[in-house]
Amino acid sequence: MSELIQTVLNSDEKTDLRAFTSLLRALDKRYFLRNEIVHAFDNYCQSNKKSQQFYTSSHFSKLIYFTQEIILDDESLCLIIRPRIAQQEAYRLSDDLAIAPISTPDLLDLRDRFVDRYTPQEGDIFEIDFQPFYDYSPTIRDPKNIGKGVEFLNRFLSSKLFQAPHQWQELLFNFLRLHRYDGAQLLINERIQTQQQLSDRVKQALAIVSDRSPDEAYETFRFELQNLGFEPGWGNTARRVHDTLEILDGLIDSPDHQALEAFISRIPMIFRVVLVSIHGWFGQEGVLGRPDTGGQIVYVLDQVKSLEKQLQEDLHLAGLGVLNVSPKVLVLTRLIPNSDGTSCNQRLEKIYGTHNAWILRVPFREFNPNLTQNWISRFEIWPYLETFSVDAERELRAEFQGTPDLIVGNYSDGNLVAFLLARRLKVTHCIVAHALEKSKYLFSNLYWQDLENNYHFSLQFTADLIAMNAANFVISSTYQEIVGTSESIGQYESYKSFTMPELYHVVSGVELFSPKFNVVPPGVNQAVFFPFTATQERLNHERDRLENLLFNDDDSEQIFGKLDDPNKRPLFSMARLDRIKNLTGLVEAYGKSEELQKRCNLILIAGKLRTEDSTDHEEISEIEKLYGLIEQYRLHGKIRWLGVRLSKSDTGEVYRVIGDRKGIFVQPALFEAFGLTILESMVTGLPTFATRFGGPLEIIQNRLNGFYINPTDHEEVATAVVEFLDQCDRNPNYWDEISQQSIERVYSTYTWKIHTNRLLSLAKIYGFWNYSSQENREDMLRYIESLFYLLYKPRAQQLLHEHMNR
């Protein structure tokens, strides 16, 4: 990038650079983000009547395109440039147009000065740098392969097998000897003592099973294989045993990354799984729509059901029916004594539709019963997580009668607990962020002190750094969740380097090119969410009740707004009432568009209707704002707001009722990490308009099976929907075409079967990698523990002290 800057400076375009800098200084701002920079450049080109060639193809326009931030000070400007995905450079340009690179520590100092939090006379600030600890791991080179970590890791491991065959075959042999279930040896026994013996016996076993009928049950030749040294775990039929042994035989003789993944994926090594999801109201009924309770709960419950089913299938195929092996899955969450009519005060709750999957709730210790007996916001939960993990470990050991084989953390708090548990239990663990708050709240790290009373970002961002570096592997729903797009940084990428002024500087917070990152999108529960045209499967006995709820009833305390014309096309949205979900932004876009009001009713299912019923400050603020917008734009008779908590089955049918009326679904979030409601609406068959900020960019193919909107531009939102309605008027089949393509998009890509099969395969591969590199990770884990005890814990105790005084 320095070459591009120098090219601008060596050409006539340096005059434009000077003039553009003067334009920025005239705006009475000092910090510009990419959208502001691009907008200012547009204005500069228009006001100076620049040619289209200059606007699109000049060196200066290319420099503007790559610039993510500009910081102005008295004598210079700083350009933060992103030449390619997952990389960043910074340069200082002085008034005399001299250019010099800026190091990451100096850039962080500059940002501190911007918010008047730079105090060099008090000594250097603490720096966090994880880069040296990634020496143990290979790194990906091509940014396009970020998020395909297991594929890269398999190639790396198989190359090691090829380069040092004796060492790695010995490692593989010892790994196979590890596996047991409730004391019973699996795979190989003491009759096989060396890796050379293993190679010889595999060939003998292949000869035995090759002579048998492919469908012959494992039980009939079990003891013959046992005499050779092979215990259960190779397969349930002669064909399955033969295929597994043949893969191993090929792997020993000629290592290959695809064979390695195929073989490791067949090893029965996961029987007990813990999914950690702490905050919110974690239950199966009557919880959705409560504060902090939404898509994450749906995600975990759907994942559990599919995960148990996949485990049962895998263990059956491995031939472990002879040992009566039964998998067990636990969702670890907090117990809320004052449960407000939900099941959140029950220690153990069976998960519907499963054989052996449970919600295990562990209470927070009663440091302050006035708080810990009740729901606690996800922003306030931090002081209780360490002792929660200690108590949870005891409960998990009791429930499993042993230790879990895999721990999956969810969200920042669950990910921290997953780390604490995995560290003590010494098991493989992965994390799922769902959404990293740092990306959702603009400048949340720079102004953390101003936001600390409400959000406690110092704790959350520290917990995020700990979890994402400690995890054996990371699951993201989309590629851009990790590293963004060519125009915007990803959620994880935002942790690469940042400052928490007067607390610490993060010089290198995460290695984005680490093979720990894997894109594994979630699915949609097809038993609940399915096309509105599937009339035989629908809840036909509930349709009239839900029709009245959505369009007609006017005597319920949970409904605001009676529609003047209930037969107008419904414009529908459903989400929590918080700032990021931006339902008030949708109401404002609707309120500003007379055309949209004329053609559609706005139907919202969202949170509570009254501020006195809520204890969440964001929800209260959004309730007040929503009422204000209804009055401001005179929306009475055109909007209907339901403050109801629907069962999952009702939720699925509500989408379909909207589909019966050729309705439209709008997801107007300011940022959405993924967007389960988008999958739900699409698989139902609703044409879906979703935010272009975040995961929907990878779910929806614009104008083919859905539509992007910029939720910050109210006019654009309304125009996009009106243009769709106009197209429907011109082509009576257009709504149906988009509807069908939406359904096909979900069925082809977003199923829980695909997700859980991939999750378990990843867990096994990373379990093998963890076994082979454990000693190399110990230095990083010790560093992470230091951050926990020296940074996180003191601040958590400080917050606990504040709680005790409430």
Side-chain angles (χ1 to χ4, degrees), residues 150-182:
V150 77
E151 298 173 24
F152 176 86
L153 192 58
N154 285 333
R155 287 193 293 270
F156 175 81
L157 289 171
S158 60
S159 71
K160 288 292 186 181
L161 281 165
F162 184 79
Q163 293 166 13
H166 181 78
Q167 175 188 345
W168 281 86
Q169 287 169 14
E170 187 71 23
L171 177 73
L172 184 59
F173 166 67
N174 289 327
F175 183 68
L176 291 178
R177 299 204 307 182
L178 289 176
H179 302 294
R180 290 174 172 78
Y181 177 78
D182 284 352

Side-chain angles (χ1 to χ4, degrees), residues 296-325:
Q296 178 186 329
I297 309 298
V298 175
Y299 177 107
V300 174
L301 285 173
D302 287 347
Q303 186 186 51
V304 167
K305 295 173 185 176
S306 181
L307 186 58
E308 186 198 43
K309 188 175 181 180
Q310 190 65 51
L311 282 169
Q312 290 170 337
E313 181 180 322
D314 290 352
L315 297 177
H316 170 72
L317 288 173
L320 295 188
V322 297
L323 299 178
N324 295 318
V325 171

Side-chain angles (χ1 to χ4, degrees), residues 427-659:
V427 298
T428 301
H429 91 282
C430 86
I431 64 168
V432 186
H434 294 288
L436 292 162
E437 305 285 356
K438 186 171 176 295
S439 303
K440 292 162 61 175
Y441 293 84
L442 190 62
F443 291 135
S444 51
N445 59 292
L446 268 180
Y447 294 102
W448 71 272
Q449 286 142 308
D450 300 329
L451 301 168
E452 191 73 354
N453 286 340
N454 287 330
Y455 296 105
H456 306 288
F457 285 142
S458 67
L459 284 159
Q460 181 153 11
F461 298 167
T462 305
D464 288 335
L465 287 170
I466 288 170
M468 65 180 63
N469 285 286
N472 296 114
F473 64 104
V474 178
I475 283 180
S476 72
S477 297
T478 61
Y479 172 82
Q480 66 162 324
E481 187 180 331
I482 309 170
V483 287
T485 67
S486 59
E487 298 179 358
S488 61
I489 67 171
Q491 292 183 63
Y492 284 97
E493 189 179 358
S494 72
Y495 284 78
K496 178 65 178 174
S497 67
F498 65 95
T499 174
M500 302 284 280
E502 298 181 332
L503 182 61
Y504 56 67
H505 282 176
V506 177
V507 176
S508 179
V510 63
E511 175 52 79
L512 298 168
F513 290 84
S514 167
K516 72 168 56 182
F517 286 102
N518 292 273
V519 177
V520 186
V524 63
N525 186 335
Q526 295 175 29
V528 175
F529 303 102
F530 52 84
F532 75 100
T533 53
T535 54
Q536 296 298 316
E537 289 79 34
R538 289 187 59 173
L539 306 179
N540 295 305
H541 59 290
E542 300 288 357
R543 193 181 307 185
D544 289 344
R545 175 177 64 84
L546 294 173
E547 279 265 357
N548 286 329
L549 181 70
L550 288 167
F551 304 110
N552 298 312
D553 283 348
D554 58 2
D555 59 351
S556 172
E557 294 183 355
Q558 295 178 299
I559 299 172
F560 175 88
K562 182 176 181 179
L563 300 176
D564 292 339
D565 180 3
N567 294 317
K568 284 196 296 188
R569 190 190 301 261
L571 190 67
F572 176 58
S573 192
M574 177 164 49
R576 296 191 311 274
L577 264 179
D578 61 33
R579 188 181 69 82
I580 294 298
K581 293 301 182 183
N582 192 40
L583 287 184
T584 52
L586 174 60
V587 173
E588 191 158 8
Y590 178 78
K592 289 178 177 178
S593 172
E594 292 185 7
E595 185 66 20
L596 208 49
Q597 293 174 44
K598 182 172 71 176
R599 299 167 76 168
C600 297
N601 288 318
L602 181 58
I603 312 294
L604 304 177
I605 297 181
K608 296 182 172 67
L609 298 182
R610 289 173 289 277
T611 57
E612 59 268 24
D613 293 335
S614 177
T615 57
D616 181 84
H617 67 274
E618 270 200 23
E619 184 176 46
I620 291 170
S621 175
E622 290 297 292
I623 291 171
E624 293 171 343
K625 184 176 180 181
L626 207 158
Y627 280 123
L629 291 169
I630 291 170
E631 295 300 326
Q632 178 182 350
Y633 294 106
R634 300 178 182 177
L635 299 180
H636 294 283
K638 304 170 184 177
I639 187 171
R640 191 164 170 86
W641 170 13
L642 284 68
V644 297
R645 297 192 186 102
L646 299 173
S647 67
K648 184 177 284 190
S649 59
D650 277 355
T651 301
E653 192 60 31
V654 160
Y655 283 113
R656 291 186 285 272
V657 168
I658 298 293

Side-chain angles (χ1 to χ4, degrees), residues 765-777:
I765 293 290
Y766 285 97
F768 179 54
W769 171 248
N770 188 40
Y771 172 76
S772 68
S773 63
Q774 184 64 47
E775 291 182 4
N776 296 328
R777 291 192 78 232

Side-chain angles (χ1 to χ4, degrees), residues 657-705:
V657 168
I658 298 293
D660 292 335
R661 298 189 176 213
K662 304 288 186 182
I664 297 166
F665 183 81
V666 183
Q667 202 269 32
L670 298 176
F671 179 84
E672 184 61 69
F674 184 68
L676 278 175
T677 56
I678 295 168
L679 291 186
E680 293 167 1
S681 66
M682 289 177 69
V683 79
T684 303
L686 297 183
T688 298
F689 292 72
T691 179
R692 67 179 62 190
F693 302 126
L697 281 177
E698 292 181 40
I699 299 174
I700 289 174
Q701 296 161 309
N702 195 34
R703 298 184 180 276
L704 176 63
N705 45 46

Side-chain angles (χ1 to χ4, degrees), residues 161-389:
L161 281 165
F162 184 79
Q163 293 166 13
H166 181 78
Q167 175 188 345
W168 281 86
Q169 287 169 14
E170 187 71 23
L171 177 73
L172 184 59
F173 166 67
N174 289 327
F175 183 68
L176 291 178
R177 299 204 307 182
L178 289 176
H179 302 294
R180 290 174 172 78
Y181 177 78
D182 284 352
Q185 182 66 45
L186 303 179
L187 297 174
I188 58 176
N189 59 36
E190 71 281 353
R191 290 186 175 89
I192 300 176
Q193 291 293 318
T194 67
Q195 59 91 12
Q196 185 57 53
Q197 266 190 320
L198 174 64
S199 181
D200 295 339
R201 297 287 175 86
V202 165
K203 290 176 171 56
Q204 295 176 44
L206 279 169
I208 291 173
V209 295
S210 294
D211 294 336
R212 297 179 179 273
S213 168
D215 296 326
E216 185 174 344
Y218 166 71
E219 293 93 319
T220 64
F221 54 88
R222 170 186 178 185
F223 296 110
E224 194 171 353
L225 289 184
Q226 197 173 50
N227 287 333
L228 283 177
F230 295 100
E231 295 291 343
W234 298 96
N236 63 327
T237 64
R239 179 192 288 112
R240 182 79 179 184
V241 172
H242 179 275
D243 290 349
T244 307
L245 290 170
E246 192 170 54
I247 295 170
L248 177 58
D249 188 45
L251 190 60
I252 292 172
D253 292 341
S254 181
D256 171 78
H257 70 276
Q258 292 175 326
L260 179 64
E261 179 171 2
F263 178 68
I264 297 294
S265 296
R266 287 182 175 226
I267 294 176
M269 50 193 283
I270 299 176
F271 312 97
R272 305 176 180 97
V273 180
V274 179
L275 306 174
V276 187
S277 182
I278 309 297
H279 71 255
W281 299 79
F282 202 104
Q284 300 182 81
E285 294 179 352
V287 296
L288 294 181
R290 293 172 183 265
D292 292 346
T293 311
Q296 178 186 329
I297 309 298
V298 175
Y299 177 107
V300 174
L301 285 173
D302 287 347
Q303 186 186 51
V304 167
K305 295 173 185 176
S306 181
L307 186 58
E308 186 198 43
K309 188 175 181 180
Q310 190 65 51
L311 282 169
Q312 290 170 337
E313 181 180 322
D314 290 352
L315 297 177
H316 170 72
L317 288 173
L320 295 188
V322 297
L323 299 178
N324 295 318
V325 171
S326 176
K328 185 171 186 174
V329 183
L330 292 177
V331 177
L332 175 65
T333 189
R334 73 166 289 225
L335 185 145
I336 306 174
N338 296 334
S339 62
D340 193 24
T342 72
S343 61
C344 294
N345 62 346
Q346 296 178 18
R347 176 186 176 274
L348 203 60
E349 181 183 355
K350 180 82 172 291
I351 294 176
Y352 304 150
T354 67
H355 174 69
N356 198 15
W358 307 78
I359 301 171
L360 173 65
R361 299 186 181 92
V362 177
F364 287 165
R365 293 188 188 176
E366 292 191 354
F367 298 104
N368 181 349
N370 291 332
L371 282 173
T372 53
Q373 296 286 308
N374 302 300
W375 166 82
I376 299 174
S377 163
R378 70 184 189 275
F379 298 115
E380 300 277 341
I381 207 169
W382 306 105
Y384 310 100
L385 298 183
E386 184 183 11
T387 52
F388 175 87
S389 72

